[in-house]
Amino acid sequence: MSETIGAAALARLLLYVGALIAIGRGTVTFLDPEWAADGRAVHDASAPRWVARVGSMLLVLAPALLLYLQLGALEMTTADLPALLGETAWGRGWTQLTMASVIASVALLLGTGRTSSLLLIMSALGVAVAMGGLGHAAADAQWPLGARLLDAMHVAAMGAWIGGLLSTVLITRVPAFEARDVAWRQFSRTATVMAPVTVLTGIGSSARLLLGTPFGAIAASEYGRLLLLKTVLVLAVLLIGARQRARIQREQHPASRAVRL
């Protein structure tokens, strides 16, 4: 049982990383798809393209692994697939997730342009929305739509913030790229909006689950301890981000060590 839970957690992690890469790349390329170095689109340089391929692979692998694990958990075979996918809420949610993931996977491999970037953003947002159908939000009978909306906004904002940071780091390290200052200022503006959205939607999702629960009970639960740890980590990330934003406003680049953290 513990191995199955660990594998499911790994599958979700792969899905989140793939979505983060897709949303981050889509956001940065859409805002300025024509940045170039030595006459070539900087987004299509070796490192950004390699990471896009990794994200594309993860977006296909993660849903396949989730399906495999679900079949095993329910002691089903491939012959039971039509019933699982067509007659259960989990199956319908998985189908929506897989369709969005496959489109985002293909969009990650397309050449850089405003149209392909828009397709990537839309499909990646579809992945974010579909994720809610397989998580805590799917089990919320009181606020099903609101819960899924919070989850989707949380994933989308995190993708634009942290995924956008990854994409910006990759392009600003491309040799002969001369618009590094512009790229960092653009990311800083995006992060200034998306970081608070990430925090507020996270607070909303947690409040939805824990509202009315005594603090002692929260602190004693595994979920509560994980939430407290996440809170500390997020505060640390926000502090790092605020300091680097100040550097960017002084027309300096972020400190490499802070970016790695």
Side-chain angles (χ1 to χ4, degrees):
M1 177 64 74
S2 60
E3 292 180 357
T4 301
I5 293 174
L10 174 62
R12 291 178 184 278
L13 175 62
L14 297 178
L15 185 61
Y16 274 106
V17 172
L20 182 145
I21 291 172
I23 295 171
R25 180 177 172 85
T27 301
V28 173
T29 56
F30 180 77
L31 290 174
D32 204 322
E34 298 180 358
W35 275 334
D38 288 335
R40 181 184 180 188
V42 71
H43 304 290
D44 294 327
S46 177
R49 177 55 61 188
W50 182 84
V51 170
R53 289 169 180 160
V54 171
S56 176
M57 179 184 67
L58 294 180
L59 286 170
V60 173
L61 178 62
L65 181 55
L66 285 172
L67 179 60
Y68 171 79
L69 293 172
Q70 186 73 357
L71 285 173
L74 299 177
E75 298 183 349
M76 290 181 167
T77 66
T78 53
D80 300 310
L81 271 176
L84 175 63
L85 300 182
E87 299 175 12
T88 67
W90 187 95
R92 290 188 289 272
W94 180 89
T95 301
Q96 295 168 9
L97 173 67
T98 302
M99 291 175 61
S101 295
V102 169
I103 296 173
S105 176
V106 172
L108 272 170
L109 301 179
L110 296 177
T112 303
R114 201 169 294 277
T115 301
S116 59
S117 299
L118 181 59
L119 173 63
L120 178 55
I121 291 174
M122 292 176 64
S123 56
L125 290 177
V127 174
V129 172
M131 280 182 184
L134 299 178
H136 290 299
D140 193 316
Q142 186 175 7
W143 303 101
L145 182 59
R148 291 189 65 167
L149 180 61
L150 275 176
D151 275 10
M153 291 177 64
H154 191 67
V155 174
M158 177 63 80
W161 176 23
I162 303 300
L165 173 61
L166 173 61
S167 188
T168 302
V169 167
L170 293 172
I171 64 173
T172 54
R173 292 184 177 178
V174 174
F177 180 48
E178 298 178 352
R180 292 184 178 89
D181 292 342
V182 179
W184 278 119
R185 286 197 297 271
Q186 181 170 279
F187 167 73
S188 180
R189 289 192 294 268
T190 300
T192 300
V193 175
M194 293 304 172
V197 173
T198 301
V199 172
L200 291 174
T201 51
I203 291 172
S205 293
S206 300
R208 175 178 58 82
L209 294 170
L210 299 175
L211 201 61
T213 306
F215 179 79
I218 295 173
S221 69
E222 183 177 351
Y223 176 81
R225 290 192 294 271
L226 179 61
L227 182 62
L228 291 174
L229 175 61
K230 284 178 63 176
T231 301
V232 172
L233 292 175
V234 169
L235 289 174
V237 172
L238 289 174
L239 178 60
I240 293 170
R243 288 181 174 177
Q244 301 318 302
R245 183 175 186 276
R247 286 177 61 93
I248 292 170
Q249 288 181 323
R250 295 195 299 268
E251 298 186 353
Q252 298 175 327
H253 293 170
S256 296
R257 184 168 179 268
V259 169
R260 287 195 296 271
L261 286 173

